[in-house]
Amino acid sequence: MAYELFYWDGLQGRGEFIRLALEMAQADYRDVSRSDAAAVQAFINDPTVTTPTFAPPVLRDGDVIVGQTAALLLYLGPRLGLVSDDERLALWTHQIQLTVADLVSEAHDSHHPIGVGHYYEDQKTEALLRADEFRNQRMPKFLRWFETILKRNPSGPQWLVGDTLSYVDLSLFQLVEGLRYAFPNASAALLTDYPNVVALHDRVAALPQIKAYVQSDRRTPLNQHDIFRHYPELDSTPN
Ligand SMILES: N[C@@H](CCC(=O)N[C@@H](CS)C(=O)NCC(=O)O)C(=O)O
């Protein structure tokens, strides 16, 4: 039976971390919103589900329903052959994915620091401050950490964990894509300091499955409804 991915229509969002894993593994899956956008909200509100998820993405695999992006990848990783079967390395992979999730939240909050219930224009003053801190402090701190863990990987800096591709490599690819879209100036300047991160991004981009997916109409382009949004006033070369 095909995996079913429930995520909002019209954006990559957190659903993209799941799509990349499913696409990489050439898994049989249905991106539910693509054919029936209303089905996502209906599923989230379904009163018969005994383990309802707080917010999408959600995956249904027969009787199994999993929410929270990192938990979803924890579930899918072994099934898709995208994580080590060494418990210690699998836990490390999960830890890295949780850190990806932290960065995703902070990138979102750089344009909506007060709350999602308010328009960007109504929190622009705060967004300018928050984005300044994000570009100058948080982005380099996260990127430095990814660069460090690549360099410290005992198997070499080709992949984040061990000597083979795992789902967090796909996630780091997606982070770089998002940061470059939202903060082109800051990213261009900062990424020169993190050559292993850039090399990993390029290595993932060149994987035939990912290349085909990115060029397909299954990949929604990043846009201003997404988590990573480009507001020119929030971007500049870091101090
Ligand atoms: N920590 C969750 C966050 C899920 C989340 O915030 N989903 C967003 C879309 S990307 C949403 O629909 N949020 C609705 C809400 O928080 O009320 C994850 O990583 O999956």
Side-chain angles (χ1 to χ4, degrees):
M1 197 191 299
Y3 293 111
E4 290 173 293
L5 173 64
F6 294 84
Y7 192 70
W8 306 126
D9 194 25
L11 68 160
Q12 293 184 9
R14 290 178 171 90
E16 201 63 13
F17 296 98
I18 313 306
R19 290 189 197 98
L20 284 167
L22 292 164
E23 291 280 346
M24 181 64 216
Q26 305 277 280
D28 186 12
Y29 78 102
R30 194 162 78 87
D31 202 341
V32 173
S33 74
R34 299 289 193 254
S35 54
D36 185 358
V40 176
Q41 191 67 65
F43 181 63
I44 293 290
N45 294 338
D46 184 345
T48 67
V49 174
T50 55
T51 57
T53 295
F54 180 74
V58 192
L59 184 90
R60 183 162 62 189
D61 177 21
D63 292 343
V64 179
I65 294 173
V66 197
Q68 288 287 352
T69 311
L72 239 144
L73 289 167
L74 188 69
Y75 176 79
L76 282 175
R79 289 166 175 80
L80 302 181
L82 286 173
V83 72
S84 169
D85 51 16
D86 176 305
E87 188 186 23
R88 193 181 54 83
L89 291 181
L91 189 58
W92 173 227
T93 312
H94 182 49
Q95 181 184 332
I96 299 170
Q97 188 63 43
L98 287 168
T99 311
V100 168
D102 291 342
L103 175 49
V104 169
S105 290
E106 291 196 28
H108 171 271
D109 292 352
S110 68
H111 56 78
H112 273 73
I114 300 298
V116 284
H118 298 276
Y119 291 113
Y120 166 67
E121 287 69 25
D122 296 334
Q123 47 190 308
K124 199 167 160 182
T125 308
E126 293 83 358
L128 285 165
L129 276 172
R130 183 70 186 260
D132 184 275
E133 190 202 56
F134 182 73
R135 287 189 318 272
N136 289 299
Q137 312 293 334
R138 304 300 290 170
M139 241 175 102
K141 184 168 181 180
F142 277 107
L143 290 171
R144 195 179 317 122
W145 183 76
F146 286 114
E147 182 74 13
T148 301
I149 63 172
L150 279 165
K151 282 201 252 187
R152 287 195 200 166
N153 181 355
S155 303
Q158 194 171 5
W159 306 112
L160 280 161
V161 181
D163 60 1
T164 46
L165 174 87
S166 65
Y167 62 77
V168 278
D169 297 310
L170 307 175
S171 296
L172 185 53
F173 159 81
Q174 180 65 10
L175 279 187
V176 172
E177 292 276 300
L179 290 172
R180 281 181 169 158
Y181 173 80
F183 303 100
N185 294 317
S187 298
L190 283 172
L191 284 168
T192 57
D193 291 337
Y194 309 111
N196 287 295
V197 171
V198 174
L200 176 66
H201 167 274
D202 296 352
R203 200 170 292 122
V204 169
L207 294 166
Q209 297 89 328
I210 298 301
K211 205 169 168 183
Y213 168 59
V214 166
Q215 288 169 356
S216 76
D217 60 6
R218 299 190 300 287
R219 169 101 155 167
T220 302
L222 283 161
N223 61 62
Q224 292 300 81
H225 302 292
D226 220 305
I227 292 173
F228 293 101
R229 292 188 202 177
H230 178 56
Y231 294 107
E233 62 275 19
L234 300 187
D235 181 33
S236 70
T237 303
N239 300 330

